Every structure is written in C-alpha cells, then in structure tokens.
Amino acid sequence: MFLEYLTDNATRLLFLAEQHAELVLISVAISAVLGIGLALITESMPRLRQTLLSVTGTLLTIPSFALFALMIPLLGLGVAPTVAALAIYGIFPILRNTVTGIEGVDPAVIDAARGLGMGRGQRTRTVVLPLAWPVILNGIRTATIMLVATAAIGAVVRGPGLGELIFRGLARIGGANALNEALSGVIGVVLVALVLDLLFILIAKITTLRGINV
C-alpha cells in the first residue's frame, strides 16, 4: 500500500524533495557568508570572536518551533521566515569550523607569505582560506545535514518542502493515507540528507588541495 502511494504521488514527492533541498541550500549559503565573513572580520579580535561563538552557539538551544514562531511577526509566513530561522541555526557550525581552520594554519606558512610581500587580504585569499578550506567545508556540510531535518519543521510557518507531508499526515493520523503521507515525508528528508551529504563529499574531493585530507 505504501509503495502504491509512492508510485501514485511520485511527481509531487519529487517536487517537494526538490523544494526541500533548495530551501536548505539557500539557507546554508546565507549561513556560510555570515559565518565565514564573521570569522575573517574578527581574526584580530579574539574576544569579539569568542563572544560571537558563544552567542551563535546559544541560538542553537532555542527550540525550533519557538524560533520559527518568532519569525512570524517579523517576516510573516512562507519562505522568508523559514530561510531566516534556518540561516540562524546554520551560522554556528560554520563559524566554529572557520575559526578552527584559520587557527590551524601553520604560522610559518603565513610568515613565508608575508615575506614574499603579500598583504593581509592576499594572504587570506591565497594561503589561509585554501589551507583552512577542508575544515570550513566540514562545517558547511555539518550545517547542511542539520538543516535538512530542521527545515521540515518550517511547515509550521507554511514553509515549503517535505515538512508539509509530515505535519499533514500526523494531523490526519488514522485517516486514509495519513500514515503513508507522514512516512513518505520522513523518508524523503532522510534521502535529501543523504544526497546532499554525498554532494559535499564530491565537492571536498574536487576542491581540496592535493595532499590535504578532509
């Protein structure tokens, strides 16, 4: 019966899965810009950097339902509050890994680049970020997988994606196809997470400097 439901609703399920993946990737992109940007800006300000790590880490303790609800007065319903909430959750792992990656670069390499006449910006672009990239990418990957699950809760603010199936199925539990609906949403979320994780493994192999292990 479940397989029959999947077959009959394959087009819609695929559409919702694509929506879900797109929602997550947009949110992660925003988180990455903010997380990496904050790490670079505060490179010479360790106290501020530590404060930002503490604040963004604390934001992860806010229950998902509460954070999505708090977005409603500011952004209404739909895509905007969902993306905003997800982007907030995604900042910490990316910021933390970016800081860790940058701090892990051998100071001797940076000194050598400085000796070659490279300015701070050039050193960051051509030396620091490439060497820190494997650690940064792991942070982005972690944030992505985390947000795939959290994005399903975005259905409470009418966000797009597979959460719609899960919540609608649970609301009608006992009714026709209710369990199939909820189960297909859950399985869809797992598959989206798996596909995106494999995508990041591929990106890591393509973009990581030879000789550096992710």
Side-chain angles (χ1 to χ4, degrees), residues 41 93 174 198:
I41 291 171
L198 292 174

Side-chain angles (χ1 to χ4, degrees), residues 17 148 162 184-198:
V148 170
L162 294 161
S184 64
V186 171
I187 293 175
V189 168
V190 173
L191 291 177
V192 169
L194 179 61
V195 170
L196 292 180
D197 194 42
L198 292 174

Side-chain angles (χ1 to χ4, degrees), residues 70-196:
L70 289 172
M71 293 294 114
I72 296 176
L74 299 174
L75 300 170
L77 299 171
V79 176
T82 308
V83 169
L86 293 176
I88 288 172
Y89 279 131
I91 293 174
F92 176 71
I94 298 174
L95 174 60
R96 179 194 59 195
N97 274 45
T98 303
V99 169
T100 301
I102 291 174
E103 291 179 345
V105 175
D106 189 344
V109 176
I110 299 176
D111 288 340
R114 187 181 292 112
L116 292 173
M118 292 186 185
R120 180 177 176 181
Q122 188 178 8
R123 290 197 305 272
T124 299
R125 290 193 308 272
T126 61
V127 178
V128 176
L129 285 180
L131 291 174
W133 175 243
V135 181
I136 296 172
L137 186 60
N138 269 336
I140 298 173
R141 178 182 174 187
T142 300
T144 300
I145 303 308
M146 180 180 71
L147 295 189
V148 170
T150 309
I153 302 174
V156 300
V157 291
R158 298 181 187 174
L162 294 161
E164 173 189 330
L165 290 175
I166 298 172
F167 279 85
R168 192 170 64 188
L170 292 176
R172 299 190 309 107
I173 203 70
N177 282 325
L179 182 58
N180 290 334
E181 208 168 36
L183 186 58
S184 64
V186 171
I187 293 175
V189 168
V190 173
L191 291 177
V192 169
L194 179 61
V195 170
L196 292 180

Side-chain angles (χ1 to χ4, degrees), residues 22-24 26-28 30-31 68 75 78-88:
E22 183 179 355
L23 179 69
V24 170
I26 291 172
S27 303
V28 167
I30 295 172
S31 298
F68 280 112
L75 300 170
V79 176
T82 308
V83 169
L86 293 176
I88 288 172

